[in-house]
Amino acid sequence: MAALCEQLGVPVDDVDVGAILELAKDAAHQVERPAAPVTAFVAGYAAALKGGGQAAVAASVGTASELAWSWNAGPDPSTPTLS
């Protein structure tokens, strides 16, 4: 993680690995497995658009996790799967 943060110019202290992994788990289990990396990416992108930093990351991860936990629509048939 430290090497990746250094290469991307991201302060390592701004990356809450546990929260991001928990978000990926929530998306994989509550929505469907392929949603995990996409959800984590979109949460990170949203945090960046809001100026980045720990607070923006926490807010985006929290919102995405809440959505995953409220998800009850079932899989989207138009979404590619990993079969």
Side-chain angles (χ1 to χ4, degrees):
M1 183 54 51
L4 178 61
C5 286
E6 183 179 332
Q7 284 292 314
L8 296 176
V10 174
V12 72
D13 292 339
D14 285 355
V15 181
D16 185 343
V17 174
I20 294 166
L21 292 175
E22 190 70 22
L23 170 60
K25 182 186 82 174
D26 291 347
H29 292 190
Q30 301 303 321
V31 182
E32 62 179 291
R33 187 165 178 81
V38 175
T39 301
F41 171 81
V42 172
Y45 185 59
L49 290 175
K50 294 175 183 169
Q54 292 175 334
V57 171
S60 293
V61 166
T63 298
S65 184
E66 288 174 15
L67 182 59
W69 275 100
S70 69
W71 193 258
N72 61 8
D76 179 348
S78 68
T79 301
T81 60
L82 300 176
S83 30

